[in-house]
């Protein structure tokens, strides 16, 4: 039996996109889902497993119709999905009344249920969120009941507010494969058996690293999975180190060069670190011009000679201020306070 496992698609979200992709980025979430469905059709995958948060919020009726139309293009693959904490099944949810195409099997109850596929000798178990949070491990003690030779569990959670899962309990559950969602970074909790697919696409600037889906096969020899990257863009936190010789122009040139090396299609958060000339102030608008940068974080400090400043200004407010911080560790909160205070005092002189 061949399957693809995806999670956290977050259709309807408006991801951090930077100036170049702000309008097209929401549509790319749909495009990635369409790409996965196309792969299912081309490779005649048996099951497409969606482990929660297909939508970023309560799905609109038109969004359900759009997703259903995408799934309806499949001639062989069956789709099984659960609702996660973002698209939970509230009392007025469109999930409750929507009629899916015949190849889509939503498991929307708040207690565990399963659907079986005799043609694949497979049963898929799952339950959905009916509230934003589930602080209990409602999957504790859930066991494969032998409904079919191959049994799979869909679950969404893994932190204290969203079904705090017990890995050891899942390992003893008897399922051939546990398809997990909620954690956006892909990771195999237990290789080939208990796996987070990760978000199909990154959603915000802190959603760094690769994103994609799991492709697997279950045979008489067991389960084999491979993780497939497919995200159209990645969020990258790029550290740029500066020194006293740097200007806005040279830093901008360095940023552009590093972006070209890592991929101009990606979305960047730039963190400036190091010692800058005390007279230089980095201009975020100038540094980001023409590049897909969502944020500039300036963690540089001015290259003051504090010992010299202290000796020259012992009897002034400036000298006394420096004296209060003498011996503080570079990079500490106290050191930043020292730099900012000296900036302010020298500025007031001017």
């Amino acid at each position: 039996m061949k399957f693809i496992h995806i999670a956290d698609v977050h259709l309807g979200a408006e991801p951090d996109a930077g100036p170049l992709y702000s309008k097209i980025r929401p549509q790319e979430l749909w495009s990635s889902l369409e790409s996965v469905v196309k792969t299912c059709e081309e490779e005649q995958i048996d099951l497409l497993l969606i482990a929660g948060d297909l939508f970023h919020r309560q799905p609109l009726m038109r969004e359900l119709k759009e997703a259903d139309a995408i799934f309806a293009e499949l001639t062989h693959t069956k789709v099984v999905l659960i609702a996660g904490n973002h698209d939970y099944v509230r009392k007025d949810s469109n999930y409750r009344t929507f009629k899916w195409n015949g190849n889509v099997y939503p498991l929307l109850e708040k207690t565990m249920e399963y659907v079986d596929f005799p043609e694949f000798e497979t049963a898929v178990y799952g339950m959905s969120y009916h509230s934003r949070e589930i602080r209990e491990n409602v999957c504790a003690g859930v066991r494969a009941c032998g409904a079919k030779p191959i049994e799979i569990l869909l679950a969404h959670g893994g932190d204290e507010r969203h079904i705090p899962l017990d890995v050891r309990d899942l390992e003893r559950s008897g399922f051939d494969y546990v398809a997990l969602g909620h954690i956006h970074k892909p990771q195999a909790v237990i290789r080939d058996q208990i796996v987070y697919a990760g978000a199909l696409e990154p959603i915000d600037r802190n959603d760094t690293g690769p994103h994609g889906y799991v492709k697997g096969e279950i045979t008489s020899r067991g389960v084999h999975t491979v993780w497939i990257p497919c995200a159209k863009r990645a969020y990258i936190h790029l550290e740029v180190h500066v020194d006293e010789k740097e200007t806005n122009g040279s830093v901008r040139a360095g940023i552009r060069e590093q972006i070209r090396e890592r991929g101009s299609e990606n979305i960047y958060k730039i963190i400036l670190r190091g010692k800058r000339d005390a007279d230089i102030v980095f201009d975020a608008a100038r540094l980001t011009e023409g590049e897909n940068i969502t944020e500039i974080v300036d963690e540089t400090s001015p290259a003051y000679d504090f010992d010299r400043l202290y000796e020259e200004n012992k009897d002034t407010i400036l000298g006394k201020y420096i004296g209060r911080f003498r011996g503080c560790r570079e990079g500490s909160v106290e050191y930043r306070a020292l730099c900012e205070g000296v900036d302010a005092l020298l500025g007031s002189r001017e």
Side-chain angles (χ1 to χ4, degrees), residues 46 56 80 125 166 194 320 328:
D46 298 317
H56 187 62
V80 187
Y125 296 65
D166 182 335
I194 304 173
K320 291 175 180 179
C328 68

Side-chain angles (χ1 to χ4, degrees), residues 37 39 91 97 100 117 121-122 125 154 161 166 181 200-201 223 228 235 254 273 295-296 310 313 317 321 342-343 348:
V37 168
T39 298
K91 291 182 180 179
T97 58
W100 293 91
F117 300 95
E121 297 186 313
T122 300
Y125 296 65
L154 288 182
R161 295 189 297 124
D166 182 335
L200 195 60
E201 287 276 342
V223 186
I228 308 292
Y235 292 106
R273 292 202 170 114
E295 184 180 5
I296 295 277
Y310 176 73
N313 298 275
I317 293 175
Y321 185 83
V342 171
D343 273 345
S348 68

Side-chain angles (χ1 to χ4, degrees), residues 11 70 99 131 146 190 194 247 308 313 318 331 337 350:
L11 299 173
I70 293 170
K99 301 299 182 184
S131 59
I190 296 178
I194 304 173
T247 63
R308 181 181 62 80
N313 298 275
L318 175 60
E350 294 176 3

Side-chain angles (χ1 to χ4, degrees), residues 58-336:
Q58 292 296 309
L60 303 175
M61 189 59 75
R62 61 177 173 79
E63 292 173 326
L64 287 166
K65 290 179 179 179
E66 291 284 353
D68 190 51
I70 293 170
F71 297 143
E73 296 176 4
L74 294 164
T75 60
H76 174 79
T77 306
K78 311 297 185 186
V79 181
V80 187
L81 64 91
I82 60 174
N85 58 297
H86 278 266
D87 58 354
Y88 69 96
V89 186
R90 70 184 189 191
K91 291 182 180 179
D92 60 347
S93 172
N94 289 322
Y95 269 139
R96 293 182 179 271
T97 58
F98 186 72
K99 301 299 182 184
W100 293 91
N101 188 65
N103 70 328
V104 181
Y105 299 80
L107 301 176
L108 298 178
E109 297 299 321
K110 64 189 302 183
T111 55
M112 198 64 64
E113 59 178 328
Y114 73 86
V115 58
D116 63 82
F117 300 95
E119 64 271 41
F120 309 135
E121 297 186 313
T122 300
V124 181
Y125 296 65
M127 53 160 287
S128 288
Y129 280 65
H130 282 233
S131 59
R132 287 189 179 90
E133 296 183 358
I134 302 178
R135 292 178 176 265
E136 302 173 49
N137 181 10
V138 293
C139 292
V142 171
R143 297 292 181 264
C145 67
K148 285 289 180 288
I150 298 171
E151 295 185 300
I152 293 172
L153 173 66
L154 288 182
H156 188 91
D159 62 41
E160 62 181 12
R161 295 189 297 124
H162 306 97
I163 310 184
L165 299 167
D166 182 335
V167 174
R168 292 181 180 178
D169 185 62
L170 290 175
E171 192 176 8
R172 295 191 297 265
S173 64
F175 290 101
D176 297 276
Y177 183 73
V178 179
L180 297 177
H182 182 63
I183 305 299
H184 282 200
K185 291 186 182 297
Q187 53 193 281
V189 180
I190 296 178
R191 184 178 177 182
D192 290 330
Q193 183 187 357
I194 304 173
V195 181
Y196 281 101
L200 195 60
E201 287 276 342
I203 302 302
D204 64 52
R205 67 190 67 183
N206 293 314
D207 220 352
T208 57
H211 291 80
Y213 61 89
V214 176
K215 183 162 65 172
E217 185 172 10
I218 303 177
T219 68
S220 58
R221 297 189 299 274
V223 186
H224 175 69
T225 62
V226 60
W227 186 80
I228 308 292
C230 74
K232 297 184 181 303
R233 313 190 193 284
Y235 292 106
I236 296 177
H237 291 183
L238 181 59
E239 291 189 12
V240 176
H241 292 272
V242 304
D243 59 33
E244 298 169 55
K245 298 177 182 179
E246 300 282 12
T247 63
N248 275 276
S250 65
V251 171
R252 183 175 66 172
I255 289 172
R256 286 181 170 179
E257 182 178 352
Q258 291 197 53
I259 286 177
R260 298 298 175 271
E261 291 174 357
R262 288 166 173 78
S264 56
E265 77 280 2
N266 296 316
I267 303 167
Y268 292 86
K269 173 181 176 179
I270 306 297
I271 304 103
L272 302 178
R273 292 202 170 114
K275 294 273 195 174
R276 57 176 166 78
D277 186 308
D279 294 323
I280 292 292
V281 176
F282 292 121
D283 182 351
R286 186 176 177 190
L287 296 181
T288 59
E289 184 182 1
E291 301 297 336
N292 208 54
I293 298 171
T294 60
E295 184 180 5
I296 295 277
V297 179
D298 186 356
E299 296 184 359
T300 62
S301 56
Y304 288 122
D305 185 341
F306 289 113
D307 290 333
R308 181 181 62 80
L309 282 173
Y310 176 73
E311 292 299 328
E312 293 174 355
N313 298 275
K314 277 184 181 179
D315 299 324
T316 68
I317 293 175
L318 175 60
K320 291 175 180 179
Y321 185 83
I322 294 172
R324 292 291 298 271
F325 290 93
R326 296 195 83 182
C328 68
R329 180 175 53 82
E330 188 172 333
S332 65
V333 174
E334 291 80 6
Y335 187 82
R336 282 194 80 80

